[in-house]
Amino acid sequence: MGNERYEEGETVPTEVCSVPDRWVFVRFAVDVELSHGYGGAKHIYPTEQIEEPADLFTNGESTIQSVLCEDVHLYTTPRHRLR
């Protein structure tokens, strides 16, 4: 179980978001840490505090909820603050 970092503007990997249209790209709106958990779960933490989980992505909540893969958990607090 490793961690990966993505910067603002990078495309969200397909293991997190299954995009139905190959021309639609979902991008991170902030720098994030992607942590792989047990059973294939993925946890996405911002590197700085945000207001809403949808703030992680440039596409907003209405779009992102419909394309997230199973077992993806979104957080508004950086991981190091939760320990």
Side-chain angles (χ1 to χ4, degrees), residues 19-60:
V19 182
D21 182 345
R22 66 186 180 122
W23 299 109
V24 175
F25 294 103
V26 178
R27 298 186 186 280
F28 288 113
V30 296
D31 293 353
V32 300
E33 179 181 351
L34 171 61
S35 176
H36 296 269
Y38 294 102
K42 293 154 200 75
H43 306 273
I44 301 176
Y45 302 93
T47 57
E48 295 183 16
Q49 185 74 36
I50 58 174
E51 292 291 319
E52 300 289 331
D55 294 342
L56 292 166
F57 308 98
T58 57
N59 299 58

